[in-house]
Amino acid sequence: MNHWRLLFITFLTVSSNYGQVGNPKMEPLLPGNLDQWKVPEKNIWWSLQDSVLIARNDSDKVGSILWTKKEYTDFVIELDFKFGTGTVDSGIFMRGDTERDVQIQIGISGSLKRDMTGSPYVPGLGYPVEAEGVSGLLEVDKWNTLRAMARGDSYRVWLNGTEILQYSLDSANPQGPIGLQLHPGNEMTIHFKNIRVADMK
């Protein structure tokens, strides 16, 4: 096999992998309404304003999780987030909230009292690893883009286009809904927009 043919085959292989993992076809989860989400009864926490989803604690600081109606196995979710007021403690539940599920943190960890954006929280394990390079990427007063992928037992996270985490959880929950968290106990708001997902099963 000549040199140029080998280079061409290598290019096709890399491009194919990038297309499947790095740039999948994304579908909107927030197309100007909450039809794809299970809005909690007597909802006072989640509201839409000009296609921006706003999560806000009530006066009793009661938390809430906004779940997708659909359950996912292997997928990529991408969203833009912006910190609002108060101590922001939020995150993305990747496949439900069982003890074998991973939540990707956004904002201040209630247990560690510091920013853990992009790091995985696992019930019973806490934060088994910490995302790398977040302080140099996170724009505290601006919109940020977070992408998180679940494939089998493996998880990957990107912040503003840079990969910050690879993590594997043995016997991870194989299927479940995606959830956005509004942590209880805080006075806080957080904004989300351009929420989109690619089903990779």
Side-chain angles (χ1 to χ4, degrees):
M1 182 180 297
N2 65 47
H3 176 71
W4 290 111
R5 180 173 173 79
L6 180 60
L7 282 177
F8 180 68
I9 292 174
T10 301
F11 171 77
L12 287 178
T13 301
V14 172
S15 298
S16 175
N17 289 339
Y18 181 81
Q20 293 175 8
V21 176
N23 202 25
K25 183 180 179 181
M26 310 294 284
E27 301 290 342
L29 272 177
L30 195 68
N33 56 59
L34 292 173
D35 291 350
Q36 298 183 60
W37 301 83
K38 296 178 181 178
V39 180
E41 293 184 9
K42 300 180 180 179
N43 173 43
I44 56 174
W45 305 279
W46 306 92
S47 61
L48 270 177
Q49 296 182 16
D50 298 325
S51 298
V52 174
L53 177 64
I54 302 173
R56 183 188 309 272
N57 282 108
D58 62 354
S59 58
D60 294 327
K61 303 179 184 178
V62 175
S64 178
I65 301 174
L66 188 67
W67 295 106
T68 59
K69 294 178 179 178
K70 179 178 178 179
E71 295 194 350
Y72 295 85
T73 51
D74 292 348
F75 68 94
V76 175
I77 182 170
E78 186 171 280
L79 55 77
D80 300 332
F81 70 89
K82 185 178 181 182
F83 296 138
T85 58
T87 302
V88 177
D89 185 349
S90 183
I92 305 171
F93 286 93
M94 297 297 283
R95 297 180 182 129
D97 60 353
T98 71
E99 63 180 11
R100 304 307 299 172
D101 180 58
V102 166
Q103 177 196 354
I104 303 301
Q105 176 76 23
I106 298 176
I108 304 298
S109 160
S111 57
L112 299 182
K113 309 302 180 184
R114 61 186 178 90
D115 192 285
M116 292 293 287
T117 296
S119 297
Y121 177 82
V122 182
L125 298 178
Y127 296 90
V129 297
E130 185 169 349
E132 298 180 353
V134 172
S135 61
L137 296 168
L138 186 64
E139 300 280 355
V140 176
D141 298 321
K142 298 180 180 179
W143 286 100
N144 296 270
T145 300
L146 187 75
R147 172 179 283 204
M149 182 179 77
R151 177 171 278 180
D153 290 348
S154 297
Y155 299 84
R156 297 170 68 182
V157 179
W158 294 259
L159 179 63
N160 294 330
T162 298
E163 186 165 10
I164 58 173
L165 177 81
Q166 292 190 23
Y167 173 66
S168 293
L169 175 65
D170 291 340
S171 302
N173 191 26
Q175 182 175 334
I178 298 170
L180 299 178
Q181 184 194 42
L182 178 65
H183 202 283
N186 291 348
E187 290 185 7
M188 60 163 283
T189 59
I190 184 171
H191 299 178
F192 300 99
K193 67 177 182 178
N194 298 326
I195 306 174
R196 45 217 183 269
V197 66
D199 198 327
M200 302 176 68
K201 66 181 180 180

